[in-house]
Amino acid sequence: MNPAPMKTNPPQAAIRIAIVDDHTMMREGWRLFIENATDLAFAWMAGDASEAVRKVDEDTPDVLVVDISLPDRSGLELIKDLRLLRPKLPMIAISMHDEKLYAQRALKAGARGYVMKSAPQKVLEQALHRVASGGIAVSEEMSEEILKAFSSGNAAESKDSISELSDREFEVFVLIGQGKNTGQIAEALRISTKTVDVHKMNIRAKLGMNETGELAYFAIRWAEGQKAS
């Protein structure tokens, strides 16, 4: 009597990753990173929010990586839209900015994680696996900050009415705090200078300020405080 054949587990399917980033070099870098990982698979890439929505509708990946700064609209707004269209789609927000500035907004928008573009590949890979399996991917420091905020009964929001700013307004505010002028902000966000001026006007109204110089002073001081905290 021949022994029964041993059962073997089927190979685990690779996690399909899609990338939304307006910089060609960043997209290609992500593609190379994913294709060289043994258990990840590259699905597709998009250069702006409109293209991303269309591609998600055509081919939903296992994890979507979204850059916060996109040319047609904020990546956070894209995450909010996709959260409504594809509630089960795990998303990770990526940015060049420190996670103290955007991580909480990204999670509130519907992302399952936040990773800085400067993070080592090991951290990126761990974040993709964690989010794909239903977890949350933020640093230990940010995780502690979020837990402290909610355990104390306070929502994890910024102070001084900063939380009232829309995601795009907040992007403009952060760049003002970095000392950038209207033209530089427009170039960084791929929007017109007129649009930047409108955002500045709305920011001043929400923060109760009348002068542009007052906004710049406040934004710079706020940015310095974030670095010190």
Side-chain angles (χ1 to χ4, degrees):
M1 182 175 180
N2 295 327
M6 294 181 63
K7 293 183 179 180
T8 58
N9 294 325
Q12 186 175 4
I15 302 169
R16 299 180 65 251
I17 312 295
I19 309 299
V20 186
D21 195 303
D22 64 320
H23 291 93
T24 303
M25 289 185 65
M26 285 299 302
R27 293 198 303 268
E28 291 300 334
W30 270 98
R31 180 205 286 270
L32 184 62
F33 157 63
I34 292 168
E35 291 179 343
N36 282 306
T38 56
D39 50 359
L40 301 178
F42 179 79
W44 47 261
M45 62 173 68
D48 57 42
S50 299
E51 184 182 10
V53 171
R54 185 177 71 253
K55 288 194 171 183
V56 165
D57 187 55
E58 297 171 352
D59 177 17
T60 304
D62 295 320
V63 178
L64 182 66
V65 178
V66 180
D67 185 10
I68 282 180
S69 298
L70 296 174
D72 51 348
R73 62 185 314 196
S74 167
L76 296 179
E77 294 296 334
L78 171 61
I79 291 171
K80 290 178 184 178
D81 288 346
L82 292 177
R83 184 184 186 184
L84 294 175
L85 296 172
R86 295 287 188 275
K88 296 183 179 180
L89 172 61
M91 293 177 279
I92 293 180
I94 59 171
S95 174
M96 66 181 67
H97 299 294
D98 190 282
E99 66 178 351
K100 287 188 292 184
L101 298 177
Y102 282 106
Q104 293 179 15
R105 281 180 175 261
L107 295 179
K108 185 177 179 179
R112 302 289 295 177
Y114 184 94
V115 180
M116 292 180 62
K117 290 185 176 182
S118 59
Q121 288 192 358
K122 182 179 180 180
V123 172
L124 297 175
E125 192 166 356
Q126 289 174 342
L128 291 170
H129 282 93
R130 186 182 296 274
V131 168
S133 62
I136 301 292
V138 294
S139 70
E140 292 184 8
E141 293 80 8
M142 181 52 60
S143 179
E144 290 180 4
E145 287 292 326
I146 295 173
L147 289 174
K148 285 179 182 178
F150 282 98
S151 64
S152 64
N154 297 321
E157 296 285 358
S158 301
K159 298 178 182 179
D160 300 317
S161 300
I162 301 301
S163 60
E164 296 181 11
L165 302 180
S166 71
D167 294 324
R168 184 59 102 184
E169 289 166 355
F170 185 69
E171 284 184 290
V172 172
F173 179 79
V174 170
L175 292 172
I176 293 172
Q178 294 174 0
K180 296 188 182 299
N181 60 34
T182 298
Q184 291 170 326
I185 294 172
E187 182 179 359
L189 298 180
R190 307 294 198 277
I191 56 180
S192 69
T193 55
K194 183 177 180 179
T195 300
V196 174
D197 287 335
V198 171
H199 285 313
K200 285 184 175 181
M201 180 180 65
N202 292 336
I203 294 169
R204 290 198 302 272
K206 290 181 178 181
L207 299 183
M209 299 175 182
N210 297 318
E211 302 295 332
T212 301
E214 184 181 3
L215 172 58
Y217 176 78
F218 177 78
I220 291 171
R221 290 294 299 273
W222 181 87
E224 291 174 347
Q226 294 299 306
K227 292 178 181 178
S229 62

